[in-house]
Amino acid sequence: MSAETARRVLLAAPRGYCAGVDRAVIAVEQALEQYGAPVYVRHEIVHNKYVVRTLEKKGAVFVEETSEVPPGEIVIFSAHGVAPEVHREAERGKLATIDATCPLVTKVHKEAVRFAKDDYDILLIGHEGHEEVIGTSGEAPEHITLVDGPEDVANVEVRDPEKVVWLSQTTLSVDETMETVGALQEKFPRLISPPSDDICYATQNRQTAIKQVAAESDLVLVVGSRNSSNSVRLVETALAHGARAGHLVDNAGEVDEAWLEGVTTVGVSSGASVPDVLVEGVLEWLAERGYGDVEVVQPVQEHMQFSLPKELRRDLRAEAASKVSGA
């Protein structure tokens, strides 16, 4: 095979776990270690099937609603954040809680509370039904209007065009969000931007890397689950920036060999809730089919870390027991 047609893989970096996901997964693991199973988790701790199954094997019990957790037990709130009402439900249910909300999501919650207190209309850019959007909206439901993409802008109405601010879901496409912001600014010239960028550093970094990879790739494979917003956005970003084809796969078992027909360069990345062991599996699968030459493409460095939830420093089993006994 000539050098011109040599098969290769362009591996995007950064990829995989962000600081918020790492913090949330470690919080569940440490809670199980400190307090013993079961430890309940409201919704998936992060949007990845492999991670959820792994934690279930260690004793985590995933539930959809707080009401499913027996009184006196420990419940962990996922990295996506929850509305204040969920905290109140946990209190009424006599539960001990660990809040594993990503600090960057918490920042958006605080911005929503502050702007609502100043009586602004808040235009929240995000996808309807996403857990993060539900949590943020719950902070000030009477002030928040969801804007689901640029095409939704025409439907937006506010009380006072002089007092409007936009916030966003942290895992969106940077390009699409700014397109939506541009459309909103045309409609509301006095629109205020948040004090700092809501789109999280990890989402931006992974999209920056995939753009560079996509420009040279015939095929892009993004490892991630279909309910992971940031993983879905990576495929969309790759297709918008030069990749001939792009697919989202949970693991190597979902890669279709037919996708490799006529492909010289395969780009590989993974969503922010994906452990690298799944990417390694895809790389091994590709290597077995002649794509053993792997080049790392890293346009940005990442060094962010978050401290673990403060609740892990307390005896939550004793706290939960005292709530049930009424002490």
Side-chain angles (χ1 to χ4, degrees), residues 189-248:
R190 301 299 296 274
L191 180 72
I192 293 175
S193 296
S196 58
D197 195 352
D198 282 351
I199 303 226
C200 97
Y201 77 94
T203 299
Q204 293 187 55
N205 290 348
R206 280 149 191 71
Q207 288 175 19
T208 297
I210 203 71
K211 286 176 184 178
Q212 196 165 316
V213 165
E216 299 183 54
S217 297
D218 304 306
L219 166 70
V220 167
L221 299 176
V222 174
V223 184
S225 293
R226 281 157 186 77
N227 63 338
S228 165
S229 176
N230 76 87
S231 299
V232 172
R233 301 290 87 74
L234 283 175
V235 178
E236 293 173 354
T237 302
L239 291 171
H241 287 82
R244 288 203 337 241
H247 298 280
L248 183 65

Side-chain angles (χ1 to χ4, degrees), residues 23-326:
R23 173 181 185 266
V25 173
I26 292 173
V28 177
E29 292 173 337
Q30 193 160 320
L32 286 165
E33 194 175 307
Q34 285 181 212
Y35 308 122
V39 167
Y40 292 81
V41 184
R42 185 183 183 276
H43 292 172
E44 294 184 353
I45 188 68
V46 294
H47 285 158
N48 185 266
K49 292 178 186 176
Y50 176 89
V51 172
V52 169
R53 284 197 297 265
T54 301
L55 292 172
E56 281 177 332
K57 289 174 185 172
K58 294 180 179 181
V61 179
F62 291 87
V63 297
E64 283 303 304
E65 299 301 335
T66 316
S67 57
E68 298 174 52
V69 182
E73 291 291 345
I74 295 170
V75 63
I76 299 177
F77 298 138
S78 80
H80 308 103
V82 297
E85 177 56 29
V86 175
H87 288 277
R88 291 191 285 270
E89 286 173 3
E91 190 62 32
R92 290 195 294 269
K94 303 184 185 304
L95 306 176
T97 61
I98 297 173
D99 190 352
T101 302
C102 172
L104 300 179
V105 174
T106 300
K107 176 181 76 73
V108 179
H109 281 224
K110 288 179 178 176
E111 287 172 351
V113 170
R114 181 164 69 83
F115 283 111
K117 188 178 178 183
D118 291 337
D119 203 29
Y120 277 80
D121 276 333
I122 301 165
L123 306 181
L124 178 62
I125 301 170
H127 296 306
E128 188 169 4
H130 190 278
E131 288 163 39
E132 187 186 324
V133 165
I134 293 169
T136 302
S137 298
E139 293 286 357
E142 68 285 358
H143 285 269
I144 292 178
T145 299
L146 180 64
V147 184
D148 198 341
E151 64 286 345
D152 202 20
V153 171
N155 306 318
V156 176
E157 295 181 5
V158 300
R159 295 168 301 153
D160 181 359
E162 301 291 309
K163 293 197 73 171
V164 191
V165 63
W166 70 269
L167 302 177
S168 93
Q169 181 182 328
T170 64
T171 54
L172 297 181
S173 155
V174 178
D175 296 336
E176 185 187 352
T177 300
M178 296 322 295
E179 186 183 343
T180 306
V181 170
L184 287 170
Q185 286 171 333
E186 282 186 25
K187 187 168 183 177
F188 306 110
R190 301 299 296 274
L191 180 72
I192 293 175
S193 296
S196 58
D197 195 352
D198 282 351
I199 303 226
C200 97
Y201 77 94
T203 299
Q204 293 187 55
N205 290 348
R206 280 149 191 71
Q207 288 175 19
T208 297
I210 203 71
K211 286 176 184 178
Q212 196 165 316
V213 165
E216 299 183 54
S217 297
D218 304 306
L219 166 70
V220 167
L221 299 176
V222 174
V223 184
S225 293
R226 281 157 186 77
N227 63 338
S228 165
S229 176
N230 76 87
S231 299
V232 172
R233 301 290 87 74
L234 283 175
V235 178
E236 293 173 354
T237 302
L239 291 171
H241 287 82
R244 288 203 337 241
H247 298 280
L248 183 65
V249 296
D250 259 303
N251 50 55
E254 292 188 359
V255 184
D256 188 338
E257 201 151 355
W259 297 342
L260 298 177
E261 189 173 339
V263 168
T264 301
T265 301
V266 181
V268 175
S269 186
S270 58
S273 50
V274 177
D276 221 36
V277 63
L278 298 180
V279 177
E280 289 164 9
V282 170
L283 294 177
E284 288 170 11
W285 186 93
L286 288 168
E288 289 166 4
R289 287 152 183 84
Y291 297 85
D293 179 13
V294 178
E295 178 187 335
V296 176
V297 177
Q298 183 157 10
V300 288
Q301 298 283 335
E302 224 169 63
H303 305 288
M304 185 78 75
Q305 286 185 312
F306 296 132
S307 58
L308 289 174
K310 60 184 183 302
E311 296 92 345
L312 288 166
R313 298 193 288 269
R314 306 203 305 259
D315 185 352
L316 291 187
R317 288 286 180 207
E319 285 182 31
S322 69
K323 286 182 179 184
V324 173
S325 66

